[in-house]
Amino acid sequence: GGDPWGNAQNRLVLLGKILRLDVRGQAAYTIPPENPYANDSEYRPEIWAYGLRNPWRFSFDRLTGDLFIADVGEKVWEEINFQPAGSSGGENYGWDILEGTHCYEPPGDCNPAGTIPPIAEYEHTDSCSVTGGYRYRGTRYARLEGVFFYADFCSGVIWGMHRSESDEWQQAQLLDTDLAITSFGEDQDGELYVLDLEGGVFRLIAAGQE
């Protein structure tokens, strides 16, 4: 807890990172030559992005290739991070300098230079652990097009967020459930599902439609 060894900011260890590996047709993985640190001895070459605590979960937009990363907080703040499809990697999402947009190490007067702020965060009240989902690209519910869904494991609240025409991320609470939401699912048509700790699988629909 708290990353006392500073692993998430240590470029020579794999903890606290997202890794990018080539596992095709090899006895062991190889390093994609496009990785940002493939030829940098001060970094592990597997690293694609760093400064993460416990991503649960991350997913790609099936239409654009954008990457959404829900990162579970330590004490107070849960966050959603974003990496556009055109990224060449190497982003530092801040942990354990920051928890969300707030100083963690040190707790005051930290230096966030070079870090990428989250596109959304929420505070622990009745909440405890973010569960990342998917951006809706199905065809059944036009009003949900482009909305990224995520939830909180403890509260059962489900949020949706989308990017406005002015390029700003806007979020809203959509559902208040009694589920312990452990994950989301996406079928071959882009329709979305919610998974509960007790084994339930629920399909997300637009209000007023079945």
Side-chain angles (χ1 to χ4, degrees), residues 17-144:
K17 316 296 191 297
I18 287 180
L19 311 180
R20 183 171 182 260
L21 315 173
D22 189 343
V23 298
R24 297 171 294 182
Q26 304 290 332
Y29 69 78
T30 58
I31 305 299
E34 304 87 2
N35 275 15
Y37 309 118
N39 300 303
D40 191 331
S41 62
E42 295 185 358
Y43 293 77
R44 287 289 295 268
E46 296 94 334
I47 295 172
W48 178 255
Y50 64 101
L52 295 156
R53 182 181 177 273
N54 182 21
W56 188 262
R57 321 167 25 260
F58 65 84
S59 66
F60 291 96
D61 181 336
R62 61 163 54 199
L63 178 64
T64 65
D66 294 335
L67 177 61
F68 292 83
I69 310 163
D71 199 15
V72 177
E74 175 69 27
K75 292 182 177 180
V76 183
W77 296 96
E78 306 292 306
E79 64 185 89
I80 305 293
N81 296 295
F82 177 77
Q83 185 186 84
S87 169
S88 58
E91 287 91 341
N92 177 2
Y93 290 106
W95 176 256
D96 67 338
I97 301 168
L98 300 165
E99 183 184 22
T101 59
H102 310 269
C103 287
Y104 183 85
E105 183 70 31
D109 197 29
C110 64
N111 182 8
T115 64
I116 305 297
I119 58 172
E121 64 179 0
Y122 66 90
E123 189 174 3
H124 290 178
T125 49
D126 297 326
S127 305
C128 73
S129 180
V130 67
T131 299
Y134 293 89
R135 202 176 200 175
Y136 182 79
R137 296 300 186 186
T139 58
R140 299 182 66 170
Y141 310 112
R143 73 181 72 172
L144 302 184

Side-chain angles (χ1 to χ4, degrees), residues 72 177 201:
V72 177
T177 78
V201 178

